[in-house]
Amino acid sequence: MDTPRRIMVVGCPGAGKSTFARKLRDLTGLPLFYLDMIWHRPDRTTAPREEFDTRLDEILTLPAWIIDGNYQRTLERRLAACTEVFLFDLPLEACLAGAASRVGQVREDMPWVEEDFDADFRRYIEDFPTDQLPVIYALLDRYREGRTITVFHSREEADEWLMQAAARAGVELLSHSLSS
């Protein structure tokens, strides 16, 4: 019997994580959970930390899942429970462009439509390579054993991985590429 897949998708905002996670869900049939949908509320407030943690703990007890999002405070807990990690380590310019391109777009991974490219969010993205990535890589190194870790440095690499996975599964991916 195959081991259930418990997959984390992490990386800088705007890198293409959520699009990849949706395609992976469509390919595998695994349930997909967006941490942004647990944390953010439609009225632009956030859930209490205890509520977020309780919901995350419920998800982590499931036999199989895909979790999309960073939320560094809970990263180690998710790493301890996962079997696979996909890290999007794209150039800063690609992430900024990706985040800017989704302004005004309805998305299943956010409970509201972003009306502008918020200055604080932009700064978070600009600081991600120095503030977040070193911590992510250190944790990945610590939890490397027993997990499959894949790092993408471009959306094209992620597209290629998905195409190869679809070919192995004998299915055709129907949705657009991450790099389009």
Side-chain angles (χ1 to χ4, degrees), residues 13 27 37 41 48 50 64 66 72 77 80 85 89-90 115-116 120 140 151 168:
L27 182 62
M37 291 296 287
R41 295 191 166 156
E50 303 77 33
I66 300 168
Q72 197 166 94
R77 185 171 4 157
V85 179
D89 184 359
L90 274 61
E115 297 166 359
D116 60 13
D120 289 338
L140 289 178
V151 179
R168 285 191 301 273

Side-chain angles (χ1 to χ4, degrees), residues 31-55:
L32 170 57
F33 301 95
Y34 300 108
L35 294 181
D36 281 343
M37 291 296 287
I38 299 168
W39 180 247
H40 297 290
R41 295 191 166 156
D43 66 1
R44 298 181 186 254
T45 61
T46 57
R49 183 180 282 212
E50 303 77 33
E51 182 181 312
F52 178 88
D53 289 351
T54 297
R55 182 64 185 123

Side-chain angles (χ1 to χ4, degrees), residues 18-19 22 25 34 36-37 42 44 98-116 176:
S18 298
T19 301
R22 278 190 293 282
R25 171 200 59 201
Y34 300 108
D36 281 343
M37 291 296 287
R44 298 181 186 254
S101 73
R102 63 189 190 197
V103 170
Q105 304 296 313
V106 174
R107 300 167 28 213
E108 74 176 62
D109 58 308
M110 256 329 245
W112 67 73
V113 174
E114 295 169 299
E115 297 166 359
D116 60 13
H176 69 284

Side-chain angles (χ1 to χ4, degrees), residues 7-168:
I7 301 169
M8 289 178 48
V9 182
V10 295
C12 189
K17 297 183 309 296
S18 298
T19 301
F20 177 84
R22 278 190 293 282
K23 289 174 169 243
L24 191 58
R25 171 200 59 201
D26 295 347
L27 182 62
T28 63
L30 295 172
L32 170 57
F33 301 95
Y34 300 108
L35 294 181
D36 281 343
M37 291 296 287
I38 299 168
W39 180 247
H40 297 290
R41 295 191 166 156
D43 66 1
R44 298 181 186 254
T45 61
T46 57
R49 183 180 282 212
E50 303 77 33
E51 182 181 312
F52 178 88
D53 289 351
T54 297
R55 182 64 185 123
L56 178 60
D57 287 342
E58 290 169 357
I59 294 165
L60 293 177
T61 64
L62 298 173
W65 39 256
I66 300 168
I67 298 176
D68 166 52
N70 293 307
Y71 294 81
Q72 197 166 94
R73 180 180 66 80
T74 65
L75 187 61
E76 189 163 7
R77 185 171 4 157
R78 287 177 282 133
L79 274 169
C82 78
T83 59
E84 300 171 60
V85 179
F86 293 95
L87 169 60
F88 279 72
D89 184 359
L90 274 61
L92 176 60
E93 297 74 26
C95 297
L96 288 169
S101 73
R102 63 189 190 197
V103 170
Q105 304 296 313
V106 174
R107 300 167 28 213
E108 74 176 62
D109 58 308
M110 256 329 245
W112 67 73
V113 174
E114 295 169 299
E115 297 166 359
D116 60 13
F117 194 176
D118 179 74
D120 289 338
F121 185 51
R122 180 183 179 89
R123 194 167 15 271
Y124 175 82
I125 293 171
E126 290 170 343
D127 294 341
F128 194 90
T130 54
D131 292 353
Q132 305 288 319
L133 269 180
V135 175
I136 292 170
Y137 273 111
L139 284 169
L140 289 178
D141 193 46
R142 185 179 320 156
Y143 284 90
R144 184 164 300 284
E145 190 171 325
R147 283 158 196 80
T148 302
I149 298 171
T150 304
V151 179
F152 299 125
H153 296 285
S154 70
R155 291 185 187 104
E156 292 80 11
E157 287 179 3
D159 282 338
E160 182 60 30
W161 189 95
L162 286 165
M163 294 301 287
Q164 290 177 6
R168 285 191 301 273

